[in-house]
Amino acid sequence: MVSKLTKAGIAVVAVAGLALTGCSGKSPASAPSATAVNMNDLAAGTPAGTTEIANVNWNLPYEPSSIDPQFTWNYAENTATANMCESLIRMKPDLSTEPGLATNVQTSDGDKTIVYTIRPNVKFWDGKTMTAEDVAYSLERQVGPTAKTYWSDYFHNVTSVKATGPLQVTVTLKQPDVLFTQAMASAAGAVVEKAAAVKGGQAFGTPTGGVMCTGPFKFGSWSSGKSLTLERNDDYWDSTIKPKVKQITFSFIADESTAVNALRSGNVDGQFFYLPPAGLAQLEKSSNVTTTFGKSFVFWTLAAINPNGVMGDQKIREALSLAIDRTALTKVVFQGAGIPAPTLAGPATWGYAKDTFAAAYKSFSVSPDIAKAKKLVEEAGSPKAPIVLAVQGSSAVHEQTASLIQAAGQAIGLNVQTNVIPVEQFGNLYFDKTARKGLDGFFTTNYSDFADPLNIYSFFQSGNSHDYINWNDADSEIAQALQTTDETQRANLTVEIQKKVTAGLPWIPLAFEPTTLIQNKRISGATASFAYLYGPWAAALGGTK
């Protein structure tokens, strides 16, 4: 699917190169290129640590807004919480799943009733035994129009959650929902202690309130603006997991260059990068760290967010998409650590019916077509109003992608401008309409929460929190697919949805991204794949000497 550059594409890249120089201070021609990444041979984990280690300093790209699982919807939050708060289903490093805090799941009543058998003899860090009431509370608080959870899209079909036995929880749905059951492997299915959450109130999940969960690491302390500390849970229920790290101290270095230098110097022992940092080549050449590229559901995209702006016009979105040379983007901006994306859902999401998805994938192209793009702009009336894109501060990938998009827009007669948003505030764009005011689009590293392409394409069902421009051309197909438990039938439906979404372009696909894991050579064992967001990624972490 990776195309060679056409003459028109080369012209766009040449213009983009000039803009990129202004952002990074280094032209693409001289920019360091990362070691070629084989996207078909990405890692799930790294060799387990072999020795006890007192403390690991791990950096987060910003300070979490909360560590209460119902609010951990982003990278830093989930990276911290994944080792503390466990879900009913556990995501494994290879992106498959296994029983977690639920040992069994049974469905009945046409898949509208789901019964979870809860694992016995699991204790919270305070010594209290986890009960069905804790599980029911953890799910039920996310149900209904007044629920504050960031995972509400997975709960809109839930009518009730009840503890129906000492070790049994029953979820009743309005209709079958194939995403709900799979989402129980994400933070949406994480369990907290009811008594602690109720007592903590609004402070639960904050620096003053902490959390109470069951995972292999427990909440230690959180000094706002400085660090978050986790301590090993020596009474952890799963005897197969014996962490060798006694303590993890998270720092909150947002600036990429500062974080890269801290990793190279050894002041920081590790970090997951959801975008390849500008200093990736330096890290790969460093004698102090290892760089691992992991399996991932993540994709890089430009989301349209203003239905009344220039990007509210489908012809303009299609024109802009056709003007982008994704091959150049992945080589220059991603330093080789990415693959051009013709669709939003990539091969890693094909958790079932792989042949069906693979065959459909071949019909899409990443080849730019400037002539067609110019014609579409003319058909749309050659708008003069600017397209304003939000760019995350402290991110070279954001800045350089924006420069490339600006050049592509200029080549077809569009005026693309940027507005830099601080990294600490950028996440507000996802849920806060007021934060999106005056903007037409923003770049996002988004992802499926599990191996099902429908999870991504359901973003564009009317009413979904991701459907920023009210694009609804596949509503009926999405509704049908969400209720289809037969995987062959669901795959066929999802392929049709994919065609419509890729034609309508409510979000413009740009690249598929591996997880970039950096570890100091004194440690090893961190999960390398996307599963670090939802599973105990530090379970095998330890020293190497």
Side-chain angles (χ1 to χ4, degrees):
M1 297 305 298
V2 179
S3 64
K4 293 183 178 179
L5 297 177
T6 62
K7 288 184 178 179
I10 293 172
V12 171
V13 173
V15 177
L18 296 176
L20 284 171
T21 303
C23 282
S24 64
K26 185 175 289 184
S27 69
S30 62
S33 177
T35 302
V37 177
N38 184 352
M39 299 299 287
N40 295 315
D41 187 28
L42 297 173
T46 55
T50 56
T51 60
E52 288 268 332
I53 193 164
N55 180 72
V56 166
N57 294 313
W58 201 273
N59 188 53
L60 300 177
Y62 56 89
E63 184 170 8
S65 59
S66 174
I67 54 173
D68 179 350
Q70 69 170 335
F71 300 129
T72 59
W73 56 277
N74 212 343
Y75 293 96
E77 289 83 357
N78 282 315
T79 303
T81 308
N83 287 299
M84 294 189 287
C85 300
E86 301 179 286
S87 298
L88 293 176
I89 308 298
R90 180 187 286 169
M91 183 176 292
K92 298 165 63 177
D94 65 1
L95 303 182
S96 64
T97 59
E98 64 182 1
L101 295 181
T103 59
N104 188 47
V105 184
Q106 291 185 327
T107 60
S108 60
D109 188 25
D111 295 310
K112 291 189 293 183
T113 299
I114 308 169
V115 178
Y116 293 96
T117 301
I118 307 306
R119 188 177 297 277
N121 303 318
V122 173
K123 294 186 181 298
F124 292 104
W125 307 319
D126 60 6
K128 295 179 181 178
T129 300
M130 181 188 71
T131 68
E133 291 289 344
D134 294 302
V135 175
Y137 169 81
S138 299
L139 301 186
E140 196 276 333
R141 66 181 181 149
Q142 303 183 76
V143 176
T146 61
K148 297 179 180 180
T149 179
Y150 289 134
W151 304 96
S152 58
D153 288 330
Y154 291 133
F155 287 86
H156 69 275
N157 282 322
V158 177
T159 58
S160 69
V161 182
K162 296 180 180 179
T164 48
L167 292 173
Q168 185 182 84
V169 171
T170 300
V171 178
T172 304
L173 304 176
K174 301 174 188 175
Q175 60 191 37
D177 189 335
V178 296
L179 298 187
F180 174 83
T181 53
Q182 296 181 85
M184 293 301 98
S186 73
V191 176
V192 300
E193 185 187 281
K194 179 180 178 179
V198 171
K199 181 179 180 180
Q202 293 185 351
F204 191 73
T206 70
T208 57
V211 289
M212 184 57 63
C213 294
T214 62
F217 287 86
K218 57 186 177 181
F219 175 78
S221 63
W222 184 354
S223 177
S224 184
K226 296 181 179 179
S227 63
L228 168 64
T229 300
L230 310 188
E231 299 171 356
R232 185 171 64 190
N233 174 18
D234 290 325
D235 296 319
Y236 185 50
W237 62 268
D238 189 344
S239 60
T240 67
I241 294 179
K242 296 288 187 182
K244 295 184 180 298
V245 175
K246 294 182 179 180
Q247 178 176 279
I248 302 174
T249 302
F250 290 109
S251 54
F252 315 131
I253 303 172
D255 182 75
E256 275 187 0
S257 297
T258 304
V260 167
N261 288 335
L263 286 161
R264 293 174 65 200
S265 68
N267 289 332
V268 169
D269 292 313
Q271 180 168 347
F272 295 104
F273 286 95
Y274 55 88
L275 285 171
L280 179 59
Q282 294 175 312
L283 290 169
E284 288 197 291
K285 294 176 182 177
S286 173
S287 60
N288 294 327
V289 304
T290 60
T291 301
T292 306
F293 297 102
K295 300 175 183 290
S296 176
F297 300 137
V298 177
F299 58 95
W300 180 233
T301 181
L302 173 57
I305 58 177
N306 182 1
N308 300 314
V310 178
M311 282 188 70
D313 188 324
Q314 180 173 324
K315 289 184 178 180
I316 295 298
R317 297 195 301 274
E318 184 179 356
L320 195 56
S321 180
L322 286 169
I324 299 167
D325 195 304
R326 292 164 174 80
T327 302
L329 184 147
T330 53
K331 287 183 177 179
V332 176
V333 178
F334 280 79
Q335 306 166 71
I339 189 169
T343 60
L344 295 175
T349 66
W350 304 343
Y352 60 97
K354 292 184 179 180
D355 290 344
T356 299
F357 290 118
Y361 187 77
K362 292 178 181 178
S363 66
F364 299 102
S365 173
V366 295
S367 298
D369 190 334
I370 301 299
K372 184 177 180 180
K374 287 182 175 179
K375 185 177 180 180
L376 285 165
V377 171
E378 291 177 1
E379 292 175 1
S382 299
K384 301 303 180 184
I387 295 173
V388 182
L389 305 180
V391 176
Q392 178 182 297
S394 303
S395 171
V397 169
H398 273 253
E399 294 172 357
Q400 293 177 2
T401 300
S403 294
L404 192 147
I405 301 297
Q406 283 182 299
Q410 181 181 356
I412 60 175
L414 295 175
N415 177 14
V416 180
Q417 301 179 5
T418 62
N419 185 357
V420 177
I421 309 293
V423 61
E424 297 85 359
Q425 301 171 20
F426 197 81
N428 296 335
L429 296 174
Y430 292 89
F431 298 102
D432 186 351
K433 289 183 179 180
T434 60
R436 299 195 291 268
K437 187 176 181 180
L439 301 170
D440 294 289
F442 71 95
F443 297 107
T444 170
T445 46
N446 222 293
Y447 45 82
S448 176
D449 288 313
F450 37 81
D452 190 336
L454 180 60
N455 185 215
I456 294 172
Y457 295 123
S458 69
F459 290 178
F460 309 109
Q461 184 180 34
S462 293
N464 190 285
S465 63
H466 297 81
D467 187 18
Y468 304 120
I469 61 171
N470 303 315
W471 186 89
N472 57 10
D473 291 4
D475 268 8
S476 60
E477 293 90 341
I478 294 173
Q480 183 179 356
L482 289 173
Q483 299 184 56
T484 303
T485 56
D486 180 273
E487 292 184 342
T488 299
Q489 295 177 19
R490 185 163 83 248
N492 290 330
L493 286 166
T494 303
V495 162
E496 294 305 310
I497 296 166
Q498 180 173 252
K499 288 180 182 178
K500 290 194 172 186
V501 171
T502 308
L505 294 170
W507 291 11
I508 298 174
L510 298 173
F512 300 129
E513 307 170 40
T515 297
T516 301
L517 165 64
I518 308 298
Q519 295 179 103
N520 189 284
K521 287 186 177 179
R522 80 184 188 97
I523 63 170
S524 184
T527 295
S529 72
F530 174 87
Y532 81 88
L533 290 176
Y534 300 136
W537 58 264
L541 196 62
T544 55
K545 296 180 180 179

